């Protein structure tokens, strides 16, 4: 029998937390007496949960007093366009604008019949997006990257907050998927139908937008033409005026799930058992908790407003080592290790650090530890 958890505090009285250094950093600032008592909510598939309802009486001024957790820079990381045939002149113009090679990739069915071509681009510029409009095609994928720079915690603690407290809204219940150091909110492999959306997080590579500064990299991926059309995006140039703040708030929720776990643990007569319950059933991740307890998620305190995100994209991101695969020709791509053994559709290649990007691209070599993130 699971333990019955009694309330650990009354209104205005906080119990010291011992479970998470990260939540010590992101703990909300509220006036004395502004927090209502904890309510006991019972569920058929979990032990008694203690959820602090949202304080609807909190004033706007009080909300502004809450400290920011992180600064966020948003940029267009990946763009994919699909065509029935190769548009004449497109590659030459794209290469002239970007200053690096770009290539088409054939799209074939299970019987090997080619039915189209795909153009895969990393960090396209506004000039290129405008130029691509005249070639038509279908906007079949775009990834918005959010590089998160925490104010008062380490990159590791910030990554822990994102992994445990972020949900991808309207995602059907399923397993999350972790490969090496990257966590995917939706599991997908080659040969399967590509999901409309996905969320991916890693923090072992530097930012592409801020001179190699360490950052938590969160990618919101729209992976099909239907997903792009659902955002009312039909042409590449429309991405120039995209509002990343609105997109983030629409599709992503960051909730105070670590605080909820700490409340349950600190108020339990058997903390180890409660801690093991969350680890065993939910891996301490709010997305998995939402899959089984969707009616309780709306009662958790949202933290989106404490991430400083601009209402426009930042341009000037520099392609990293993991983007270099798309610079290869089809013949060069066909000689790398089998992509079927990899959770992404490609294995990424990397140039040696001493090699200038303007030199012969045939000297690239496989770099498996960096080739784990790009779905194609």
């Amino acid at each position: 029998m699971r333990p019955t958890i009694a309330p650990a505090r009354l209104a205005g009285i906080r119990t010291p937390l011992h479970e998470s250094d990260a939540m010590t950093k992101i703990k909300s600032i509220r006036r004395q007496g502004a927090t209502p008592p904890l309510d006991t909510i019972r569920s058929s598939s979990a032990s008694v949960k203690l959820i602090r309802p949202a304080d609807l009486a909190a004033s706007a001024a009080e909300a502004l007093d809450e400290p920011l957790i992180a600064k966020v820079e948003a940029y267009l990381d990946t763009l994919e366009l699909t065509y029935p045939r190769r548009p004449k002149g497109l590659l030459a113009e794209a290469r002239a604008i970007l200053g690096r090679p770009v290539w088409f990739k054939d799209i074939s069915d299970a019987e090997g019949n080619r039915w189209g071509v795909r153009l895969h681009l990393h960090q396209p510029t506004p000039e290129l997006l405008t130029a691509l409009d005249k070639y038509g095609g279908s906007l079949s994928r775009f990834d918005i990257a959010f590089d998160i720079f925490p104010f008062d915690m380490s990159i590791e603690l910030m990554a822990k907050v994102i992994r445990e407290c972020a949900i991808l809204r309207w995602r059907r219940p399923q397993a999350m998927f972790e490969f090496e150091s990257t966590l995917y909110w939706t599991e997908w492999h080659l040969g399967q139908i590509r999901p409309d959306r996905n969320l991916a997080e890693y923090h072992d590579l530097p930012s592409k937008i801020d001179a190699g500064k360490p950052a938590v990299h969160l990618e919101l991926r729209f992976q099909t033409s239907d997903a792009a059309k659902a955002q009312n995006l039909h042409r590449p140039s429309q991405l120039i005026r995209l509002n990343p703040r609105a997109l983030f708030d629409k599709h992503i929720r960051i909730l105070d799930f670590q605080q909820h776990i700490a409340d349950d643990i600190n108020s339990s007569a058997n903390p180890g058992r409660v801690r093991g319950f969350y680890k065993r059933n939910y891996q301490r991740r709010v997305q998995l908790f939402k899959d089984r307890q969707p009616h309780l998620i709306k009662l958790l305190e949202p933290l989106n407003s404490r991430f400083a995100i601009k209402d426009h994209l930042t341009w000037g991101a520099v392609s990293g080592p993991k983007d270099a695969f798309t610079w290869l020709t089809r013949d060069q791509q066909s000689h790398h290790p089998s992509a079927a053994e990899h959770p992404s559709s490609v294995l990424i290649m990397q140039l040696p650090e001493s090699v200038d990007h303007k030199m012969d691209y045939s000297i690239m070599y496989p770099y498996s530890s960096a080739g784990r993130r790009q779905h194609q």
Side-chain angles (χ1 to χ4, degrees), residues 35 39 49 52 112 178 182 196 215 241 259 263 311 328:
T35 305
D39 296 327
K49 305 295 177 191
R52 184 173 69 250
E178 188 167 4
T182 303
D196 285 341
R241 297 177 294 277
Q259 179 69 62
D263 288 344
D311 60 359
L328 301 179

Side-chain angles (χ1 to χ4, degrees), residues 180 204-205 320-325 336-337 342 346-353 364-373:
E180 294 185 355
D204 60 334
L205 292 178
K322 66 189 183 67
D323 301 326
F325 177 87
H336 72 76
H342 197 273
V346 296
L347 291 177
I348 309 303
M349 318 292 280
Q350 184 188 27
L351 278 169
E353 293 182 359
M364 296 182 180
Y365 61 90
Y367 185 62
S368 59
S369 64
R372 53 186 174 263
R373 300 186 178 97

Side-chain angles (χ1 to χ4, degrees), residues 183-254:
L183 178 66
Y184 300 93
W185 269 245
T186 300
E187 184 172 3
W188 174 73
H189 299 274
L190 282 178
Q192 299 177 346
I193 297 177
R194 180 188 290 185
D196 285 341
R197 299 175 307 142
N198 206 342
L199 197 62
E201 184 277 336
Y202 60 87
H203 53 279
D204 60 334
L205 292 178
S207 170
K208 300 177 187 178
I209 203 69
D210 195 356
K213 183 178 178 181
V216 176
H217 187 86
L218 185 67
E219 286 186 14
L220 178 58
R221 299 180 174 182
F222 298 87
Q223 302 182 132
T224 65
S225 57
D226 286 342
K229 291 175 183 176
Q231 308 310 310
N232 199 26
L233 296 172
H234 305 276
R235 302 187 308 276
S237 63
Q238 291 179 301
L239 293 166
I240 299 174
R241 297 177 294 277
L242 194 68
N243 184 340
R245 170 85 259 180
L247 203 67
F248 187 93
D249 289 339
K250 179 179 178 181
H251 294 273
I252 301 172
R253 283 285 187 273
I254 300 179

Side-chain angles (χ1 to χ4, degrees), residues 36-329:
L38 294 173
D39 296 327
T40 342
I41 301 177
R42 297 187 177 274
S43 170
S44 58
S45 59
S47 61
V48 176
K49 305 295 177 191
L50 297 179
I51 308 288
R52 184 173 69 250
D55 185 5
L56 301 178
S59 64
E62 180 181 354
L64 293 175
D65 289 338
E66 293 183 341
L68 291 174
I69 296 171
K71 179 186 76 171
V72 181
E73 293 287 350
Y75 56 95
L76 180 58
D77 190 52
T78 302
L79 175 67
E80 187 177 280
L81 296 166
T82 303
Y83 303 90
R85 61 187 61 85
R86 301 183 182 190
K88 185 177 180 180
L90 189 156
L91 288 184
E93 185 171 7
R95 291 168 183 171
I97 294 174
L98 290 180
R100 62 175 184 263
V102 294
W103 307 96
F104 285 115
K105 182 177 180 181
D106 292 340
I107 306 173
S108 303
D109 57 23
E111 299 177 355
N113 300 314
R114 186 174 69 87
W115 61 268
V117 294
R118 178 179 294 131
L119 180 66
H120 196 87
L121 300 168
H122 289 289
Q123 295 85 45
T125 63
E127 181 185 0
L128 178 58
L129 294 176
T130 302
L132 288 172
D133 279 356
K134 63 178 174 286
Y135 295 102
S138 172
L139 179 58
S140 53
R141 172 182 169 180
F142 69 94
D143 299 350
I144 302 299
F146 299 93
D147 279 1
I148 303 173
F149 304 95
F151 289 125
D152 195 25
M153 67 177 75
S154 67
I155 293 295
E156 290 72 20
L157 285 178
M158 187 75 261
K160 180 180 174 67
V161 170
I162 296 298
R163 290 180 171 225
E164 295 185 358
C165 299
I167 64 171
L168 178 62
R169 301 183 69 193
W170 309 298
R171 162 193 173 276
R172 66 176 177 81
Q174 59 185 292
M176 299 174 72
F177 176 60
E178 188 167 4
F179 181 80
E180 294 185 355
S181 62
T182 303
L183 178 66
Y184 300 93
W185 269 245
T186 300
E187 184 172 3
W188 174 73
H189 299 274
L190 282 178
Q192 299 177 346
I193 297 177
R194 180 188 290 185
D196 285 341
R197 299 175 307 142
N198 206 342
L199 197 62
E201 184 277 336
Y202 60 87
H203 53 279
D204 60 334
L205 292 178
S207 170
K208 300 177 187 178
I209 203 69
D210 195 356
K213 183 178 178 181
V216 176
H217 187 86
L218 185 67
E219 286 186 14
L220 178 58
R221 299 180 174 182
F222 298 87
Q223 302 182 132
T224 65
S225 57
D226 286 342
K229 291 175 183 176
Q231 308 310 310
N232 199 26
L233 296 172
H234 305 276
R235 302 187 308 276
S237 63
Q238 291 179 301
L239 293 166
I240 299 174
R241 297 177 294 277
L242 194 68
N243 184 340
R245 170 85 259 180
L247 203 67
F248 187 93
D249 289 339
K250 179 179 178 181
H251 294 273
I252 301 172
R253 283 285 187 273
I254 300 179
L255 303 170
D256 203 346
F257 188 55
Q258 291 176 329
Q259 179 69 62
H260 164 63
I261 295 177
D263 288 344
D264 274 6
I265 291 174
N266 292 336
S267 62
S268 173
N270 193 341
R273 187 173 181 180
V274 176
R275 185 184 299 109
F277 169 79
Y278 281 103
K279 179 67 175 178
R280 182 174 60 256
N281 291 279
Y282 307 118
Q283 300 176 36
R284 296 179 64 97
R285 293 172 180 165
V286 71
Q287 184 73 73
L288 301 180
F289 180 74
K290 175 183 178 294
D291 290 347
R292 295 180 59 184
Q293 309 284 351
H295 56 290
L296 300 182
I297 286 297
K298 62 183 179 181
L299 299 177
L300 293 177
E301 181 179 358
L303 301 174
N304 283 37
S305 62
R306 298 177 61 186
F307 287 80
I309 307 175
K310 299 176 183 177
D311 60 359
H312 59 272
L313 293 174
T314 301
W315 302 98
V318 179
S319 293
K322 66 189 183 67
D323 301 326
F325 177 87
T326 58
W327 303 347
L328 301 179
T329 65

Side-chain angles (χ1 to χ4, degrees), residues 8-25:
R9 61 191 182 190
L10 298 176
I13 303 177
R14 291 188 176 273
T15 300
L17 303 179
H18 307 289
E19 282 301 309
S20 172
D21 292 336
M23 289 316 301
T24 302
K25 298 290 186 183

